[in-house]
Amino acid sequence: MSSEYPQEQLLAFVQAMANVAASDGRITEEERQQLDEVVLNIGLSPRDPQVAAIIEAEFQKPGRLTDIVSKIEIRELRASLLRMLVEVACADGELAAEERASVKEAATTFGYDASVADELVNWTLDSIKLDQRERDIMAKLL
């Protein structure tokens, strides 16, 4: 993905992801792992000093999400970001009210209806539950 989009757009993507992960005041190991995976998937490295500094700054003192996501101008990148924001926010199998509000805020900043964000959140949480159920069933078989 990194060759498809300008570096500043990708860094804003990472900053927004870290912002939502930190929005409830705690960053779980699952959220951190999910964030690192997303960073790698967009062609960046969580170990890159610039990327690491952006993530840590958001973890320490999250900025205004609307200011961050407004930097992202490419429609496809906005859609991917909204999807990934939901993934990171739901990574621990829960969604704090602050995380849900952040996801909705990003959606409306991008010009999407907030109900789409709710649908995406609900689908993601349901998917996580189904994956866990599959693991539980398979554990009984093995």
Side-chain angles (χ1 to χ4, degrees):
M1 180 186 271
S2 63
S3 62
E4 297 176 43
Y5 302 109
Q7 181 80 1
E8 69 274 0
Q9 297 276 297
L10 294 174
L11 292 173
F13 190 105
V14 170
Q15 185 180 8
M17 298 287 294
N19 180 282
V20 170
S23 66
D24 64 352
R26 64 184 180 91
I27 296 98
T28 66
E29 184 60 32
E30 293 90 354
E31 289 170 328
R32 183 61 200 226
Q33 288 175 356
Q34 184 72 30
L35 179 58
D36 287 349
E37 286 177 29
V38 168
V39 170
L40 290 169
N41 287 336
I42 65 170
L44 300 176
S45 170
R47 297 191 201 317
D48 177 281
Q50 187 178 17
V51 172
I54 287 170
I55 291 170
E56 288 309 314
E58 285 303 310
F59 283 177
Q60 296 303 312
K61 187 176 182 208
R64 283 179 22 105
L65 185 61
T66 53
D67 293 342
I68 299 166
V69 299
S70 65
K71 299 175 193 174
I72 299 171
E73 301 164 348
I74 302 166
R75 184 167 176 76
E76 293 81 14
L77 199 54
R78 285 179 167 193
S80 293
L81 175 59
L82 187 60
R83 177 74 180 99
M84 293 298 105
L85 289 175
V86 171
E87 285 287 325
V88 167
C90 296
D92 58 2
E94 300 176 5
L95 188 72
E98 299 87 355
E99 291 170 320
R100 184 178 290 270
S102 292
V103 168
K104 284 184 172 184
E105 181 181 0
T108 57
T109 299
F110 289 153
Y112 302 126
D113 189 287
S115 66
V116 173
D118 278 331
E119 284 182 62
L120 194 53
V121 163
N122 293 336
W123 177 83
T124 301
L125 289 172
D126 288 346
S127 296
I128 290 169
K129 288 177 189 171
L130 284 173
D131 287 344
Q132 183 58 51
R133 184 171 173 218
E134 178 188 23
R135 285 190 296 274
D136 293 346
I137 292 169
M138 292 306 294
K140 292 176 185 177
L141 298 174
L142 298 175

